[in-house]
Amino acid sequence: MSRVLVARLDSMGDVLLSGPALRAVANGSRPDGSRPNDVVLLCGPEGAAAAEMLPGVTQVHTWASPWIVNPAPPVTEEMTTGLINFVRSSRIEEAVIFTSFHQSPLPLALLLRLAGVRKITGASTDYAGSLLDIRLKPGEDFPEDQPEAVRALTIAEAGGYVLPNGDDGKLRITAGEDPEGLADELAEGGQYIVVHPGAAAPARAWPALHHAATVELLEAYGHRVVVTGGPSEASLTATVAGPSARNLGGGTNLRTLAAVLAGAAVVVTGNTGPAHLAAAVGTPVVCLFAPVVPAIRWAPYGVPLELLGDQEAPCKNSRARVCPVPGHPCLSSVTPEQVVEAVERLLGGVSSLATRRKVWKP
């Protein structure tokens, strides 16, 4: 058994998408028959809570990368030597760096080399010199237009790690306690739909009043609706929930939110971390997806999906955080009626609530 550092330095959703590749490193096999299953996951502050829920992770170490985190922390000797000393003291000899297409593994690889890591695997469009022992060239060794989960698995496989037999390669988290019993309370009332209106960037957000109208329509169709959101989104979730939907805005930690999403029949959300969390617990998703990044890479992976939004809008592939097109037409053109129709299509093609809850709590 050896210790392997696996790095994914950005958001909660990106960490969740790396889950199958992490399982390959932790539980898969190598050509020599050895099974390195002691995995240290290096992640950023936004991904730490998700990292704690991933199967196969032995230890989570949080580090705010100055080339990933926004706003970026200053580069100091203390922050760099802190990481180097952690890696040295952890007796890590091998590392696998997961990145998206617009990120470079090379700054981290340099720090890991200084820490004494002997073997480093990553994907880089730039010449890596002696920083990477195994270098995949995006666009040459593998296509860029593929799901992020598959990209990460490809990097892991290049390092010699493959998923064990019987692992379907889908997103997954470990079932944890819901200390408030919120998910069980919701389940007692019967089937419900979750609407999560928040987004990390304005360019990815469907208008609040569109969400509110969707909640009213869903209730008119006879559905119970639960609205979720973070502590900073209390005003948004109150507007969306209106007088009759259950408003959980600011009232759940990530594990409780996972349990709430696992109990839902369908989740309605944008290109957000909770969309990937819903996929990790096996719940179908209606995703209002702005094409500022490609849906083929970042749409919810491995679950029944209804993808809404104009994927050929002028903002396509711009990576904009604020919509560059007046009126935000890629999403504002989607009507509440279309969202409700998408929900109904998913409800017509999924298994029972009880069956999926057994998946969440094996």
Side-chain angles (χ1 to χ4, degrees), residues 8 10 14 17 98-105 123 138 144 148 151 155 297-298:
R8 184 74 212 211
D10 36 9
D14 296 302
L17 286 166
F98 296 138
T99 50
S100 297
F101 77 101
H102 58 279
Q103 299 167 340
S104 172
E144 283 288 29
E148 281 289 291
R151 176 190 172 98
I155 295 172
R297 299 176 191 171
W298 279 285

Side-chain angles (χ1 to χ4, degrees), residues 273-284:
H276 302 300
L277 189 59
V281 296
T283 301

Side-chain angles (χ1 to χ4, degrees), residues 4 6 15-28 36-41 47-60 98 153 163-164 167-176 255 258 276-277 279-281 359-360 362:
V4 181
V6 175
V15 169
L16 291 171
L17 286 166
S18 300
L22 278 159
R23 298 198 304 272
V25 175
N27 303 311
N37 56 4
D38 193 1
V39 173
V40 178
L41 176 55
E52 297 284 356
M53 298 192 293
L54 291 179
V57 175
T58 305
Q59 180 181 358
V60 174
F98 296 138
L153 273 171
L163 283 169
D167 191 321
D168 59 10
K170 294 183 180 180
L171 307 193
R172 191 182 306 159
I173 62 173
T174 55
R255 280 200 180 274
H276 302 300
L277 189 59
V281 296
V359 173
W360 166 241

Side-chain angles (χ1 to χ4, degrees), residues 12-86:
M12 178 252 284
D14 296 302
V15 169
L16 291 171
L17 286 166
S18 300
L22 278 159
R23 298 198 304 272
V25 175
N27 303 311
S29 60
R30 304 182 68 178
D32 61 5
S34 61
R35 299 176 65 84
N37 56 4
D38 193 1
V39 173
V40 178
L41 176 55
L42 179 67
C43 65
E46 291 187 357
E52 297 284 356
M53 298 192 293
L54 291 179
V57 175
T58 305
Q59 180 181 358
V60 174
H61 185 74
T62 303
W63 186 67
S65 165
W67 60 90
I68 298 289
V69 173
N70 186 14
V75 179
T76 65
E77 182 178 358
E78 180 181 9
M79 76 174 302
T80 55
T81 57
L83 177 62
I84 290 170
N85 290 338
F86 166 77

Side-chain angles (χ1 to χ4, degrees), residues 68-230:
I68 298 289
V69 173
N70 186 14
V75 179
T76 65
E77 182 178 358
E78 180 181 9
M79 76 174 302
T80 55
T81 57
L83 177 62
I84 290 170
N85 290 338
F86 166 77
V87 174
R88 284 175 177 164
S89 65
S90 299
R91 304 183 307 279
I92 292 169
E93 296 186 353
E94 182 173 349
V96 181
I97 303 174
F98 296 138
T99 50
S100 297
F101 77 101
H102 58 279
Q103 299 167 340
S104 172
L106 301 186
L108 179 58
L110 175 61
L111 295 177
L112 295 178
R113 283 289 192 231
L114 294 175
V117 178
R118 297 181 180 179
K119 178 184 176 184
I120 305 175
T121 300
S124 177
T125 57
D126 298 317
Y127 172 66
S130 60
L131 294 181
L132 297 178
D133 297 284
I134 300 176
R135 174 199 171 196
L136 288 175
K137 298 178 182 179
E140 296 182 28
D141 296 325
F142 64 90
E144 283 288 29
D145 282 334
Q146 61 179 338
E148 281 289 291
V150 177
R151 176 190 172 98
L153 273 171
T154 302
I155 295 172
E157 289 171 2
Y161 301 100
V162 295
L163 283 169
N165 292 334
D167 191 321
D168 59 10
K170 294 183 180 180
L171 307 193
R172 191 182 306 159
I173 62 173
T174 55
E177 293 295 327
D178 175 15
E180 299 176 5
L182 185 55
D184 289 334
E185 175 197 335
L186 291 171
E188 289 174 0
Q191 179 174 280
Y192 61 90
I193 310 295
V194 167
V195 174
H196 186 93
R204 300 183 185 188
W206 199 42
L209 295 182
H210 283 47
H211 276 104
T214 298
V215 169
E216 291 183 7
L217 280 173
L218 287 169
E219 291 180 325
Y221 271 63
H223 298 298
R224 292 170 63 218
V225 180
V226 175
V227 179
T228 59

